[in-house]
Amino acid sequence: MTGRLLFWPAFATLLAVAAAGLSTDGLFSSSIWTPDGLKRMLWFVALYGCWAVLGGWLFPRWFTRITLAAAFIHTVAVLGLKPVAGVLYFLASAWALGSFAAPGMLGMLAGVAAYSLVIGIAVHFPVNYPEVYLGVMAVPLVLRRDWLQPGEAQVPRRGEFAAWALLAGILVMHLLMVLKPEAGADALAMHLAIPASVEMHHQSTFDFRHTRWALMPMNANWAFTAVHLLGGEAATRLFNLSMLFATLALLEGLLRRMVSRPVSLLLTALFASSPIVQLVTGTLLVENYWAAMSVAAFAGLVCYRETGEIRQAYLAACFLGTSLATKYGAFAFVVPAVIALAWEIRCRRAWRRAPAVAALLVLFGSTPYLRAWFVSGNPVFPFFNQIFRSPHFDSTGPFADPRFHEPLTLSTLYSLTFHTSRHYEGQNGGWGFHYLFFVPLALLILPRRGIPQVESAALGISLTYFVLTLAGQSNVRYLYPVLPLFMILAAGVIRAAGEWGAMRRRALIAAATGIFFLNVYFQPASGWTHGDFDVYTQDMAPVRSLIGHLNREHGGEPVVFLETAQTAGLRGRAYTASWHHSAFHNALSAAGSVKAAARMLAGMSVRHVVAPSDLKLVSLPAARLLLQVDSEPELEYMGWRVYRLGGARSKPMPVLSAGEYDDMDPAVEYEGQWAGDLQFVEPVNGSVTYSAQPQALFRVRFRGGALTYVYTKSANRGIAGVFIDGTSHGTIDQYSGATQWRQRTRFDGLGEGVHTMEVRVTGRSNPAATGAFVDLDQLIIR
């Protein structure tokens, strides 16, 4: 069956699937907006719509420039001139530097890539001062004074203007999110912490033996460092937005080769409206930088295919290398792109140029891997350490995020669209709805016709990347660099439909426009910080206020952070009970007792701990009890506290009266290596504490004649020994082939008075069990 005959059945089926998904999965009933945030968004849409209609009618030639001027004035009014000037200076210098290699946006990104490469080396030396960066970046501006040639404003046609108005509107929405202070978890743990630390110390001070991500590819973070030195935190967020602009400019240029200007602008706006774009733009993540370099590499590959100009192959190699030096996941993009580039070199018999292409790829891409190999013995430290076996990290198993491992199936696109929360830290609908519509159409239609060069390259690279990435880990954020290529496939579908009749083309354009507005409504579904729309409250990142206090009162001192890794801006060394500082986390977990934990922190000169005000939320038992018995609050803000250690007298173990006590209750005393888990909803209060260390135990003193022990039966559970007042009360086999939550064992007839109960990990288990874990969910005293 030809694509022409398949079109209408496929079109109708995909619309029906989308309607069914929206209806049955209850996306519109989810709380993605606060009531006030939804009102603000609707007011913005109404006011902007009026402005677009008025501007398009009265002065279409000047609409774009007036809109940009208004956005610029608003940005300066909110942030001040310094962040804006810092970003513009860096981009202008990059544009001037890159103009030696290529004109326009490709040249600017080539300059950014070159600066990232150099800064990645410079950060290891104490030379990173604003004055140094200002001076170095002035050189290209002086040498290349003709790097920018402004164009003339043209009067757009009606369809073109409407599509441009949609694109400008969604970009203004992203800008409003960027003007907020940073509140993202990954940004405050890493992407903002890196440039802030370099600004404080004038070089990178992160040690991979302490901070596990210190050897990861960081090209985006080195660019963030440059603009942070020039303009501060706000400048890094604006630069992140500028990388989105660069991606959109390249994408629109590629689309314009295939479809008319109105359609290319509409598809560019459709990509920009993806809620996940707001996730990586409204918080400081590396995906916009990564996507810009990946799309630039694709553009260089396409240009080389079409023109045979070897300079384009060189540029593609530089951008592919820069992408590799930004994120490990870039290998899934680089491998098919390099194969395509090598094929083009072969077809053009340009083998003499191949060594130079390979050298540029290695130059721009190998630095972080060579450094990691040299200092740790693992070029991708800490990943794949079971293969490379660096002595500085656990080599018994793979280092991977355990949360997102959905299998790759035929329903994956549907799951990514309507069950997005299974694939990253966001809400359902946070990926975007147009991929479910256009990608299947492309797979049905494009292979049944002669595929032009742009579509064939996009189809091969995007599908390879999609499969390789999801086969490794189903985190939808890692798909971001290939999403622009999906829009090229959408353009191919529209072009094919136009050849078969105007009605098919109009139907696709109408569907794209409708999905655009659906995406706009679901913008906050990308995360949890933008539901108020253009309003920022300290609730989003309250720990930042505590860090300001620590810097003022105890500047330079080490601080421990529990249940958060948001350490950006701290002047002293930060320790987090997370994978970021896994050696510290493992040591604190193994401390076992309050005394051991106190000795460990004292030996590290730690006097302050940042943790939740409610100690039941502290998952490490020894740390939780230490804060209860040997600390006092120094400052509290929005559910978080700075605890000063050693400020309170040790308290005797409390005697519990009749009632229900959770595993996280500070009155429960743990000895040995126990871990708290807050990821399940089935246990009482959503928490369970467990251990597999033989002779580890938990203890509680209580007054009453009966006690009920609540625990979990599961495939990895072992045998627990129970002692009351020093006398054995038997064992409990917690093994079960199927997980059984909130299982109970009651001990009664204990008599009045005070009793002490201990539950010990025996280390023994049922032969069918996969582990010997013993857990505590709740204790009930009667």
Side-chain angles (χ1 to χ4, degrees):
M1 185 179 291
T2 65
R4 181 195 298 264
L5 296 177
L6 281 172
F7 178 84
W8 285 118
F11 183 88
T13 300
L14 290 169
L15 284 182
V17 169
L22 289 169
S23 175
T24 59
D25 289 298
L27 266 64
F28 282 105
S29 61
S30 57
S31 301
I32 60 173
W33 290 100
T34 65
D36 289 340
L38 182 57
K39 291 178 184 177
R40 293 188 191 98
M41 189 275 289
L42 293 176
W43 269 110
F44 169 81
V45 171
L47 293 173
Y48 178 80
C50 292
W51 160 242
V53 171
L54 183 64
W57 178 40
L58 294 180
F59 32 79
R61 181 189 298 270
W62 296 98
F63 173 82
T64 299
R65 294 188 177 185
I66 294 174
T67 303
L68 290 175
F72 179 84
I73 292 170
H74 179 70
T75 301
V76 172
V78 173
L79 301 179
L81 185 59
K82 182 179 178 181
V84 179
V87 173
L88 292 178
Y89 186 77
F90 177 75
L91 293 178
S93 180
W95 199 309
L97 178 63
S99 66
F100 288 98
M105 196 59 65
L106 281 179
M108 188 202 74
L109 288 175
V112 171
Y115 276 136
S116 299
L117 174 65
V118 174
I119 295 168
I121 299 171
V123 292
H124 301 295
F125 304 93
V127 297
N128 298 274
Y129 292 85
E131 298 80 5
V132 173
Y133 279 61
L134 285 169
V136 170
M137 292 178 188
V139 174
L141 293 171
V142 173
L143 294 179
R144 191 78 171 187
R145 298 179 183 179
D146 58 344
W147 56 273
L148 182 61
Q149 296 180 355
E152 293 293 328
Q154 299 179 353
V155 180
R157 297 179 179 179
R158 182 176 301 175
E160 181 180 337
F161 179 85
W164 165 246
L166 291 180
L167 176 58
I170 191 63
L171 292 181
V172 172
M173 291 183 69
H174 290 319
L175 173 64
L176 295 176
M177 302 303 106
V178 168
L179 299 183
K180 300 179 181 181
E182 185 57 60
D186 284 359
L188 295 176
M190 181 179 180
H191 305 306
L192 183 60
I194 291 169
S197 176
V198 172
E199 181 181 34
M200 283 184 236
H201 305 290
H202 310 299
Q203 67 182 110
S204 176
T205 59
F206 296 104
D207 185 340
F208 74 97
R209 290 162 294 191
H210 169 255
T211 306
R212 292 309 186 190
W213 45 254
L215 294 178
M216 289 183 180
M218 294 186 188
N219 257 29
N221 294 293
W222 304 142
F224 294 161
T225 297
V227 293
H228 194 283
L229 287 172
L230 298 176
E233 173 186 328
T236 62
R237 292 173 60 81
L238 286 175
F239 173 76
N240 187 31
L241 178 66
S242 74
M243 290 296 97
L244 172 64
F245 290 170
T247 303
L248 297 177
L250 290 174
L251 174 61
E252 200 276 330
L254 289 167
L255 294 173
R256 208 185 317 154
R257 298 165 179 258
M258 306 162 57
V259 291
S260 65
R261 184 69 186 275
V263 176
S264 70
L265 287 171
L266 174 61
L267 292 178
T268 303
L270 190 57
F271 165 70
S273 72
S274 307
I276 195 171
V277 173
Q278 187 179 96
L279 171 71
V280 304
T281 305
T283 188
L284 194 62
L285 296 171
V286 303
E287 275 74 15
N288 274 328
Y289 179 98
W290 185 16
M293 295 301 165
S294 300
V295 175
F298 180 82
L301 172 61
V302 169
C303 290
Y304 183 55
R305 272 189 168 190
E306 293 179 348
T307 66
E309 187 179 359
I310 193 63
R311 180 183 61 171
Q312 301 296 336
Y314 294 155
L315 283 171
C318 294
F319 291 130
L320 289 173
T322 303
S323 184
L324 273 180
T326 301
K327 199 96 170 175
Y328 289 131
F331 277 100
F333 188 99
V334 170
V335 169
V338 166
I339 292 173
L341 187 59
W343 179 261
E344 289 301 316
I345 291 175
R346 174 186 177 277
C347 292
R348 297 182 179 279
R349 302 183 183 277
W351 289 117
R352 288 183 300 174
R353 306 288 189 173
V357 173
L360 286 170
L361 176 65
V362 171
L363 173 65
F364 279 82
S366 65
T367 303
Y369 302 95
L370 292 175
R371 180 171 181 268
W373 196 1
F374 179 75
V375 301
S376 75
N378 179 352
V380 289
F381 185 90
F383 297 96
F384 296 106
N385 206 48
Q386 75 276 17
I387 298 174
F388 295 102
R389 297 191 177 278
S390 167
H392 303 289
F393 196 68
D394 178 23
S395 60
T396 59
F399 174 63
D401 189 337
R403 297 170 297 173
F404 308 113
H405 285 285
E406 295 288 318
L408 181 61
T409 66
L410 292 176
S411 63
T412 293
L413 270 176
Y414 183 93
S415 180
L416 290 170
T417 305
F418 296 107
H419 305 147
T420 322
S421 59
R422 299 178 185 175
H423 300 273
Y424 83 121
E425 312 93 322
Q427 303 180 68
N428 293 337
W431 191 43
F433 298 93
H434 47 291
Y435 306 112
L436 177 64
F437 187 78
F438 280 107
V439 173
L441 279 177
L443 295 178
L444 285 171
I445 292 173
L446 294 184
R448 287 172 166 78
R449 61 191 295 272
I451 307 179
Q453 291 180 334
V454 179
E455 286 113 306
S456 63
L459 187 64
I461 293 175
S462 63
L463 290 185
T464 303
Y465 182 93
F466 186 85
V467 171
L468 290 177
T469 299
L470 291 186
Q473 190 170 51
S474 59
N475 191 324
V476 71
R477 186 153 59 90
Y478 300 157
L479 294 175
Y480 189 82
V482 83
L483 298 186
L485 301 194
F486 283 165
M487 305 317 301
I488 293 175
L489 301 184
V493 171
I494 292 176
R495 179 160 66 177
E499 295 172 358
W500 298 328
M503 185 175 293
R504 290 178 175 84
R505 181 175 179 275
R506 292 193 192 102
L508 288 173
I509 291 174
T513 305
I515 294 173
F516 171 87
F517 288 105
L518 185 64
N519 283 345
V520 169
Y521 176 81
F522 277 92
Q523 289 293 294
S526 62
W528 306 93
T529 59
H530 299 313
D532 276 325
F533 190 73
D534 197 27
V535 172
Y536 173 83
T537 65
Q538 291 291 348
D539 304 20
M540 298 299 177
V543 173
R544 301 199 68 180
S545 296
L546 301 183
I547 289 176
H549 164 81
L550 290 166
N551 286 338
R552 289 189 301 271
E553 302 297 328
H554 314 287
E557 292 189 10
V559 179
V560 167
F561 292 78
L562 301 176
E563 309 309 322
T564 180
Q566 299 179 21
T567 63
L570 183 73
R571 294 191 175 278
R573 170 162 283 193
Y575 295 89
T576 65
S578 67
W579 73 267
H580 297 269
H581 306 113
S582 57
F584 168 76
H585 176 245
N586 294 338
L588 187 59
S589 300
S593 67
V594 172
K595 291 182 179 179
R599 284 197 302 269
M600 172 184 166
L601 297 185
M604 297 162 54
S605 301
V606 171
R607 297 195 305 143
H608 295 90
V609 175
V610 173
S613 303
D614 183 357
L615 291 178
K616 293 180 181 179
L617 299 178
V618 177
S619 57
L620 291 179
R624 181 169 66 243
L625 195 55
L626 173 65
L627 294 180
Q628 181 197 20
V629 304
D630 196 28
S631 75
E632 63 180 15
E634 180 172 298
L635 180 66
E636 181 169 352
Y637 184 74
M638 297 300 299
W640 291 85
R641 281 180 184 165
V642 174
Y643 294 87
R644 184 168 60 249
L645 298 178
R649 297 176 58 186
S650 294
K651 306 170 186 176
M653 189 176 179
V655 177
L656 303 181
S657 57
E660 299 179 353
Y661 299 89
D662 189 61
D663 61 297
M664 294 291 189
D665 196 297
V668 181
E669 183 178 274
Y670 294 88
E671 290 187 9
Q673 188 169 351
W674 291 80
D677 202 326
L678 301 169
Q679 66 174 309
F680 300 107
V681 297
E682 293 85 355
V684 179
N685 297 323
S687 66
V688 64
T689 301
Y690 55 86
S691 176
Q693 183 185 49
Q695 301 310 309
L697 62 87
F698 69 80
R699 180 187 298 114
V700 66
R701 297 183 71 202
F702 64 97
R703 185 184 302 277
L707 181 145
T708 299
Y709 170 31
V710 183
Y711 52 91
T712 309
K713 283 193 169 187
S714 188
N716 65 350
R717 294 302 195 262
I719 297 173
V722 181
F723 296 82
I724 298 179
D725 297 331
T727 302
S728 174
H729 279 244
T731 60
I732 301 173
D733 187 353
Q734 298 184 356
Y735 166 77
S736 172
T739 302
Q740 302 177 34
W741 303 97
R742 306 192 188 194
Q743 299 301 296
R744 299 185 175 207
T745 298
R746 180 181 171 90
F747 302 92
D748 52 15
L750 303 178
E752 295 301 321
V754 176
H755 305 281
T756 300
M757 177 192 187
E758 290 184 355
V759 174
R760 301 175 184 172
V761 181
T762 65
R764 307 192 308 273
S765 62
N766 187 297
T770 59
F773 287 93
V774 169
D775 77 37
L776 169 63
D777 188 358
Q778 187 186 47
L779 296 170
I780 303 172
I781 300 170
R782 298 284 182 254

